[in-house]
Amino acid sequence: MRGKRYPDEFKIEAVKQVTERGHQIADVAERLGVTSKSLHNWINKFDKPEKQHITIDNQQD
């Protein structure tokens, strides 16, 4: 069974807490009730320049 689904806005905010505000991944994950692995995955997906987001999104269609 798969885990809970989170909207992209939630994931992006979680990533910002790590990448822009300097919080530890484990702390953010625990506070938000997600796994550190999920947060790592979100960082890999969302911590890229906007142009890359568009390219990646277009390739998945």
Side-chain angles (χ1 to χ4, degrees):
M1 188 166 98
R2 298 187 113 188
K4 183 176 179 182
R5 297 261 185 201
Y6 296 96
D8 284 350
E9 293 80 12
F10 178 88
K11 296 174 184 178
I12 291 167
E13 181 55 36
V15 170
K16 286 181 181 179
Q17 289 184 36
V18 175
T19 61
E20 294 178 7
R21 299 183 194 119
H23 296 288
Q24 296 294 315
I25 290 174
D27 294 339
V28 173
E30 182 178 347
R31 185 170 54 247
L32 297 177
V34 301
T35 65
S36 293
K37 174 142 178 51
S38 291
L39 189 47
H40 275 286
N41 292 341
W42 299 347
I43 290 169
N44 288 334
K45 181 176 180 180
F46 293 107
D47 188 34
K48 297 178 182 164
E50 187 62 32
K51 187 173 182 177
Q52 286 183 331
H53 282 261
I54 293 168
T55 303
I56 291 169
D57 290 343
N58 289 340
Q59 289 176 354
Q60 293 177 353
D61 290 337

